[in-house]
C-alpha cells in the first residue's frame, strides 16, 4: 500500500487532470473505489478517467445512478462505471451483498475489465477482491480534495 496522497481539487480542471493521471496508471482488472458524500465529485472523476482511457466525446458518460452499470469499450479495454448507491441497504446487508453479487462484476473484473465503482466501500468481496486504488473525495470548508490510497502508485506523484 502506498502512503495516502492528498490532492486538492480547487477547480474542475484539477479533477480532470487527476482523472488522466489515474487513467494512465490503470491496468486490466483494476478496481477503483470512489467514495465521498453526494456531490463530492465521484462521477465527475470517473468521467475524466473514462475520457482519458479513450471514450470519445460523442459518447455521453451518464451517471450510473439509475442503470447501476455503464459499460464502455475503449482502445485500452473494457471499462465499467458502477454506482451501487441504490443497492445499499444499511439495514439489510445480506440483501445488499446478494444484489451486488448478482451483477457479476467480480467475473467481469477477472476477465480484465476495469471497474470504477461509486458507493462500493465494504463490498470489495463482491467486486472481486481488494481495491487497486481507493479515492476518497471531499467537499468541505477547505474546498474539494481527494485522498488516494493504492496498492501501487497512481496519480500525480506516480
Ligand atoms: N473541482 C471539482 N471536481 C469535481 N466536481 C466539481 C468540481 N468543481 C465543481 N464540481 C461539480 O460538482 C459536481 C459533482 O457531482 P458528481 O455527480 O460528480 O458527484 P458524485 O460524488 O458522483 O455524487 P453522487 O454520490 O450523487 O453520485 C458536478 O456538478 C461538478 O461539475
Ligand atoms: Mg455519482
Amino acid at each position: 500500500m502506498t502512503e495516502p496522497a492528498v490532492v486538492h481539487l480547487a477547480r474542475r480542471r484539477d479533477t480532470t487532470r487527476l482523472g488522466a493521471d489515474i487513467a494512465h496508471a490503470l491496468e486490466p482488472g483494476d478496481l477503483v473505489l470512489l467514495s465521498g458524500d453526494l456531490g463530492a465529485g465521484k462521477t465527475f472523476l470517473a468521467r475524466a478517467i473514462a475520457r482519458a482511457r479513450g471514450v470519445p466525446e460523442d459518447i455521453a458518460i451518464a451517471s450510473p445512478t439509475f442503470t447501476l452499470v455503464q459499460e464502455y469499450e475503449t482502445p485500452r479495454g473494457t471499462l465499467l462505471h458502477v454506482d451501487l448507491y441504490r443497492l445499499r441497504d444499511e439495514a439489510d446487508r445480506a440483501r445488499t451483498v446478494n444484489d451486488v453479487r448478482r451483477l457479476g462484476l467480480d467475473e467481469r473484473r477477472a476477465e480484465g475489465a476495469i471497474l470504477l465503482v461509486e458507493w462500493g466501500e465494504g463490498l470489495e468481496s463482491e467486486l472481486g477482491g481488494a481495491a487497486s486504488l481507493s479515492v476518497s473525495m471531499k467537499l468541505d470548508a477547505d474546498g474539494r480534495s481527494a485522498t488516494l490510497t493504492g496498492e501501487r502508485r497512481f496519480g500525480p506523484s506516480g
Side-chain angles (χ1 to χ4, degrees):
M1 274 293 156
T2 58
E3 286 293 306
V6 181
V7 185
H8 291 281
L9 305 171
R11 296 157 163 266
R12 287 183 181 81
R13 78 163 75 102
D14 300 319
T15 308
T16 301
R17 189 173 306 130
L18 174 63
D21 287 335
I22 292 171
H24 183 73
L26 284 172
E27 291 171 7
D30 273 345
L31 168 64
V32 179
L33 286 183
L34 304 168
S35 66
D37 291 341
L38 295 169
K42 302 180 293 296
T43 296
F44 191 96
L45 179 62
R47 198 175 276 130
I49 294 171
R51 289 287 178 227
R53 292 291 293 184
V55 177
E57 290 291 338
D58 61 333
I59 294 186
I61 301 177
S63 170
T65 305
F66 294 102
T67 54
L68 304 179
V69 182
Q70 298 277 5
E71 178 158 352
Y72 303 95
E73 294 308 328
T74 83
R76 300 168 71 194
T78 302
L79 188 70
L80 300 179
H81 180 193
V82 181
D83 186 339
L84 299 178
Y85 185 78
R86 290 195 316 128
L87 296 186
R88 294 189 84 99
D89 182 346
E90 304 307 335
D92 191 347
R93 174 156 171 92
R95 176 178 162 173
T96 303
V97 162
N98 250 316
D99 286 352
V100 175
R101 201 170 280 154
R102 259 205 292 266
L103 296 175
L105 296 167
D106 52 346
E107 240 169 77
R108 300 302 308 278
R109 189 178 169 199
E111 291 163 2
I114 290 172
L115 308 185
L116 308 179
V117 183
E118 302 181 38
W119 298 101
E121 313 87 83
L123 294 162
E124 288 85 346
S125 299
E126 289 65 43
L127 297 170
S132 317
L133 172 68
S134 295
V135 185
S136 167
M137 304 190 74
K138 248 193 301 198
L139 169 57
D140 58 23
D142 297 331
R144 291 176 185 273
S145 66
T147 303
L148 281 69
T149 314
E151 63 177 15
R152 51 181 201 277
R153 291 170 80 86
F154 284 83
S157 50

